[in-house]
Amino acid sequence: MVPRVDVTVDSPRRLYLVGFMGAGKSTVGRTLADRLGWDFVELDAEIEGVAGRTIPAIFREEGEPAFRDLEHRVLRRVSRREPPCVVACGGGVPLSERNRRILMETGLPVHLMVRPETVLERLDQDGSRPLLPGGDRREERLKRLWQERQDAYNAFDRSVVTDDRSVDDVVDRVLALLDGIGT
Ligand code: S3P
């Protein structure tokens, strides 16, 4: 059994995991929430619940701008929910200024870093991301998207590299970041 970790953070006990698709936000987030004894919230699942449809269906039927609007509204709602909780954010959440403001003002955002090569390996057969369709331009598309997003992800000063690391290792490193706060 994995020991619980007590965190003495006075500042909002709401941890946001951000980063590119395939960074491991959901997997790490679940384990992290278990270790802390906090709730786990998966933003994409919340969006699907509100919309009554899957993310690919929302993209297909309403387009990306409508998805981003919904994503923002759901993020705002989650940011007002009673802490403590760990929130795994979809990869596009930090792209807008209004979302970055929510993340920074209502919790502690941590960037899970991942190289594009690792994303390709981790999401090899995964066809569930509308922004990363299969086909021979997948790699090129992924690398372009990854590059375009680095400034937005780098807006957060706490980050953990996830490449070549186990989930437990990444979780320990995120917990170490929390440890220095409010203690
Ligand atoms: C997106 C990432 C996805 C999901 C949607 C858009 C993005 O979440 O929100 O497909 O723009 O990077 P994950 O990062 O959990 O894959």
Side-chain angles (χ1 to χ4, degrees):
M1 161 131 178
V2 190
R4 280 267 176 96
V5 181
D6 289 318
V7 177
T8 46
V9 219
D10 317 317
S11 53
R13 304 200 313 155
R14 193 181 289 109
L15 183 70
Y16 293 110
L17 295 180
V18 301
F20 202 79
M21 294 171 267
K25 301 171 299 263
S26 305
T27 319
V28 167
R30 253 183 219 102
T31 309
L32 205 47
D34 266 3
R35 294 271 299 273
L36 289 160
W38 293 8
D39 283 346
F40 174 68
V41 181
E42 163 108 55
L43 205 68
D44 281 345
E46 297 279 325
I47 294 170
E48 291 183 331
V50 170
R53 271 172 298 171
T54 63
I55 305 271
I58 304 170
F59 268 78
R60 199 171 49 241
E61 290 159 21
E62 296 183 44
E64 183 172 353
F67 170 76
R68 296 296 172 204
D69 255 7
L70 184 57
E71 184 178 57
H72 172 70
R73 281 189 278 128
V74 173
L75 174 66
R76 207 170 47 204
R77 188 191 290 184
V78 165
S79 74
R80 292 173 182 157
R81 209 180 276 175
E82 203 57 30
C85 57
V86 176
V87 184
C89 298
V93 166
L95 300 181
S96 76
E97 168 66 34
R98 60 182 184 168
N99 286 352
R100 287 198 296 274
R101 199 169 325 120
I102 293 177
L103 300 177
M104 291 176 185
E105 288 175 358
T106 66
L108 191 81
V110 175
H111 173 200
L112 296 188
M113 299 170 80
V114 65
R115 290 192 303 261
E117 294 75 14
T118 308
V119 179
L120 274 172
E121 275 167 33
R122 289 187 186 161
L123 302 185
D124 182 25
Q125 298 298 324
D126 189 316
S128 67
R129 269 83 169 183
L131 294 179
L132 280 187
D136 48 6
R137 302 195 54 199
R138 182 170 162 95
E139 179 168 350
E140 184 193 325
R141 191 188 257 268
L142 183 150
K143 289 190 168 157
R144 186 164 23 89
L145 205 56
W146 187 91
Q147 197 60 53
E148 282 167 8
R149 292 181 167 192
Q150 291 313 296
D151 283 353
Y153 295 146
N154 289 332
F156 307 102
D157 32 79
R158 289 183 183 79
S159 57
V160 173
V161 170
T162 67
D163 309 275
D164 308 317
R165 286 184 176 155
S166 67
V167 172
D168 283 333
D169 188 358
V170 174
V171 166
D172 285 341
R173 287 166 195 266
V174 176
L175 289 172
L177 290 179
L178 287 182
D179 239 3
I181 296 166
T183 55

